[in-house]
Amino acid sequence: MTDGTNTLARHPDWVTGGTSDDTETFNSPHSIAYHEPSASLLVADRDNFRIDVLDAATGVKLSEWKNCLGNGTGPAVAPWGVRMFTEPTTGHVQAMVAVCDSPEDGGNQRIVVLDVTSPDAFETLSASTETSTDKIQCNAVAEMAVDPDICLTPHEISVDPRTGDIYVACVTVDPGPSAILRYRRTAAGATAL
């Protein structure tokens, strides 16, 4: 494929993953975002209930994050969407993650904000002396509840780079309305419109 100046290869440079619940394979990699400071990919591995961090050049898994996505109550929390955003006033690089309970029970839909400014946030699994994913760095700095009466399953997310406004695509598991939500970023954080 070509755009007149660049040509994309017909075959990928690398392929990683598979389908399983172990730490080296995916189980519904639902969304990805590129993290420029570390040249890494954040993968919302929905049915493994984690964010996987991969080296973008090689596909090698560097880290995984689980515990910063949940609020410590209820069932495991699944990341459905992830997007990178540079906070305009501070320059901090953030990952916005749309999460909800699995199965969706109407009680834990949120947008979680992770501060991923420093490449040091991506501690490698091989460098870690801990075997638990609890000890791998994941810095959740904010979260915002999503009203389950409006949005049962926050499915995908986008962020306006100029304003910081957050857009969330919501789908339903039962017949019913789906929606796009906009949250306006204010000095005090994001507020539902």
Side-chain angles (χ1 to χ4, degrees):
M1 181 168 40
T2 182
D3 66 3
T5 59
N6 295 310
T7 301
L8 297 177
R10 291 180 185 236
H11 302 285
D13 285 342
W14 53 260
V15 176
T16 189
T19 303
S20 176
D21 62 355
D22 68 32
T23 62
E24 296 305 316
T25 57
F26 298 119
N27 194 357
S28 192
H30 205 263
S31 181
I32 61 173
Y34 183 77
H35 181 259
E36 189 172 349
S38 67
S40 299
L41 295 174
L42 276 65
V43 180
D45 192 2
R46 186 186 72 197
D47 292 343
N48 279 334
F49 310 105
R50 66 187 182 213
I51 298 290
D52 288 318
V53 181
L54 307 179
D55 181 305
T58 65
V60 171
K61 184 171 178 177
L62 302 174
S63 188
E64 69 180 46
W65 299 333
K66 281 187 173 184
N67 293 335
C68 60
L69 301 178
N71 66 5
T73 64
V77 180
W80 287 69
V82 60
R83 288 293 173 268
M84 301 306 300
F85 171 69
T86 301
E87 215 288 325
T89 57
T90 65
H92 284 212
V93 180
Q94 298 175 335
M96 306 280 185
V97 183
V99 299
C100 68
D101 289 340
S102 186
E104 300 81 3
D105 67 358
N108 205 6
Q109 294 81 352
R110 297 181 324 289
I111 305 301
V112 177
V113 181
L114 307 176
D115 185 351
V116 291
T117 301
S118 169
D120 295 336
F122 299 90
E123 174 186 341
T124 64
L125 289 173
S126 60
S128 175
T129 58
E130 303 290 342
T131 57
S132 169
T133 57
D134 296 350
K135 305 299 181 185
I136 296 171
Q137 296 178 351
C138 185
N139 187 17
V141 295
E143 66 177 54
M144 176 182 63
V146 175
D147 184 345
D149 292 332
I150 299 171
C151 177
L152 186 60
T153 306
H155 193 74
E156 191 56 89
I157 189 166
S158 187
V159 183
D160 184 329
R162 299 166 297 132
T163 65
D165 291 353
I166 301 168
Y167 300 88
V168 180
C170 297
V171 297
T172 58
V173 290
D174 295 323
S178 294
I180 303 295
L181 310 178
R182 175 185 175 203
Y183 293 89
R184 182 173 292 156
R185 185 104 170 187
T186 65
T191 306
L193 297 178

